[in-house]
Amino acid sequence: MPGDILQRLTTLTLSVKQLGRLPNLVQRLPSSLPSPSPTVGASHVPSLFREPHILTGYRPLRQKWYCYLLSLFQKHNESLNVWTHLLAAPVLLLRWWSNVGTLGYTLDISSLPLCLFLLSAIFCYFCSTVAHLFQSHSEQAHYYFFFMDYVGVAVYQYGCALGHYFYTSTSGWRASIIGYHFLHGTAIFGLLSSTGCCLAKSRYRKPYPVQRKICQLIPTSLAYFLGISPVVDRLLTGSWTEEPSLNFHVLQIVFFLSSALFFSCPIPECFFPGKFDIFGHGHQIFHVLLSLTTLSQLEALFQDYARKRDQVIDIFGETQIWWACVSFPILVFSCLLVAFTSMKYMHKKLKQN
């Protein structure tokens, strides 16, 4: 089983290894196309854009928008942040179609939470890709795109919760207080996660105070731990020999907790400032591990769905499934409203400065 798991995850890892060749592509573009400006050091960009221990590889501000689009093929300190999530989406789709063919997947109400999980993951990676690609245009763009990135994270959290609730949870867990309040609880925490991140981003400036981390981490952590609770219960009560999906659930937890470490700590660049500016700094590793988390989730949920698909409607009823899935666009709209409100606030704040 471990060998099979590693083989399924190899596709994404191999794709990431090819990224070292990408910087050469910008040199092969037709000469008629404009080229992005050369990257600059940290002292040439405002403090908002500087990352700890990253000394070079910053893209100059206020270039034409198409220059940032073309920087997709340029070597800079956001290159891997863009490509890891840009490549993750097609890899997820490929694994989706592979599982569809293997499991005899049918599109009906019982598979709707699984579809929304995939949609939420792709939406999250799209928002992240766009944010890292275009945020260097200006301070306003930086704030606007990362507000949308936080929307993607909140939507992804709820998409995961839907999959875990309808395919992974046990009857004993659903009868508990946590299980009873799970769906609306994860939706509320998802909205609070988006709100907390937008608030922290818009209110605090560098050097960041500890309150900024509190605004970001508390609602996001609560959303994660509630969303993963049916998986933890299943790991503690399920049969590991009869349920191979549990191996992928373990992997998703290991990958996510590892990604949280690299997100919170600037490793390894804090030990070697300037050595990991372009490739290998902590946020890039975080992106790779998060992509592996989602891929592991997809494999686990497909196996749980295959085992349970004939019972989903009998267990939950069509009404509950529909209401849970209708909550998905409501959450998206609510998070977008928070993001647009934050954009309006930042627009006024930047004009005053």
Side-chain angles (χ1 to χ4, degrees):
M1 177 60 65
D4 181 58
I5 294 173
L6 291 175
Q7 183 178 4
R8 296 190 184 194
L9 297 177
T10 297
T11 306
L12 183 58
T13 306
L14 290 177
S15 299
V16 171
K17 289 181 179 179
Q18 305 302 318
L19 296 180
R21 303 176 184 177
L22 291 175
N24 296 327
L25 294 178
V26 73
Q27 300 174 1
R28 300 178 184 178
L29 291 173
S31 57
S32 58
L33 289 176
S35 297
S37 300
T39 57
V40 297
S43 61
H44 291 83
V45 296
S47 61
L48 175 66
F49 299 90
R50 300 174 198 165
E51 296 296 332
H53 316 293
I54 305 298
L55 308 182
T56 61
Y58 293 92
R59 290 167 294 172
L61 275 65
R62 296 179 180 84
Q63 301 180 71
K64 298 293 185 180
W65 284 105
Y66 54 70
C67 290
Y68 295 99
L69 178 61
L70 291 176
S71 73
L72 186 65
F73 306 105
Q74 183 186 23
K75 185 170 68 174
H76 52 82
N77 56 29
E78 291 274 31
S79 296
L80 275 181
N81 288 334
V82 174
W83 279 101
T84 46
H85 279 176
L86 184 63
L87 292 176
V91 170
L92 286 172
L93 288 172
L94 287 173
R95 288 305 307 158
W96 174 275
W97 289 117
S98 176
N99 281 317
V100 164
T102 302
L103 301 178
Y105 172 92
T106 56
L107 183 61
D108 52 32
I109 188 172
S110 65
S111 65
L112 190 54
L114 190 59
C115 295
L116 290 178
F117 163 75
L118 179 68
L119 180 63
S120 71
I122 292 176
F123 178 71
C124 177
Y125 289 153
F126 171 78
C127 291
S128 175
T129 298
V130 171
H132 285 285
L133 187 60
F134 292 104
Q135 60 93 15
S136 294
H137 178 269
S138 62
E139 288 192 1
Q140 190 175 49
H142 174 90
Y143 284 109
Y144 285 11
F145 284 121
F146 276 111
F147 289 153
M148 289 302 300
D149 191 23
Y150 302 145
V151 173
V153 171
V155 171
Y156 174 55
Q157 288 171 336
Y158 189 64
C160 295
L162 288 177
H164 292 159
Y165 183 80
F166 288 107
Y167 306 125
T168 304
S169 65
T170 63
S171 58
W173 176 87
R174 290 192 298 274
S176 67
I177 295 178
I178 294 177
Y180 183 78
H181 296 286
F182 179 77
L183 287 175
H184 54 268
T186 50
I188 292 172
F189 280 142
L191 179 59
L192 289 176
S193 173
S194 177
T195 303
C197 289
C198 287
L199 176 63
K201 187 73 174 175
S202 59
R203 182 172 181 178
Y204 299 109
R205 295 294 186 97
K206 292 182 177 180
Y208 295 130
V210 67
Q211 292 92 327
R212 182 177 186 268
K213 279 291 184 185
I214 292 175
C215 287
Q216 289 180 316
L217 291 181
I218 288 182
T220 303
S221 299
L222 289 174
Y224 174 74
F225 287 118
L226 178 59
I228 204 68
S229 60
V231 175
V232 173
D233 173 77
R234 176 84 172 281
L235 292 173
L236 295 176
T237 60
S239 171
W240 288 60
T241 56
E242 298 177 4
E243 301 176 27
S245 65
L246 297 184
N247 294 281
F248 288 103
H249 282 306
V250 169
L251 279 179
Q252 70 145 312
I253 293 176
V254 170
F255 284 139
F256 181 83
L257 294 180
S258 300
S259 72
L261 171 65
F262 285 98
F263 177 81
S264 304
C265 305
I267 302 172
E269 64 268 23
C270 63
F271 301 110
F272 308 97
K275 299 297 184 182
F276 295 94
D277 290 354
I278 308 301
F279 300 109
H281 59 75
H283 200 82
Q284 295 172 349
I285 299 173
F286 158 72
H287 272 215
V288 173
L289 290 171
L290 189 61
S291 298
L292 291 173
T293 298
T294 308
L295 192 59
S296 300
Q297 281 180 307
L298 181 64
E299 299 293 342
L301 289 177
F302 249 114
Q303 292 192 20
D304 287 340
Y305 164 76
R307 182 179 61 88
K308 212 172 186 179
R309 59 182 168 184
D310 295 332
Q311 309 168 30
V312 170
I313 296 178
D314 293 333
I315 293 173
F316 299 100
E318 291 190 10
T319 302
Q320 185 179 16
I321 299 174
W322 275 117
W323 273 114
C325 294
V326 165
S327 300
F328 184 87
I330 294 175
L331 176 64
V332 174
F333 175 80
S334 301
C335 291
L336 286 173
L337 186 61
V338 170
F340 292 148
T341 303
S342 301
M343 291 176 188
K344 186 177 180 180
Y345 168 79
M346 283 309 305
H347 180 72
K348 292 181 179 179
K349 190 173 181 179
L350 291 172
K351 283 184 68 176
Q352 292 172 357
N353 294 338

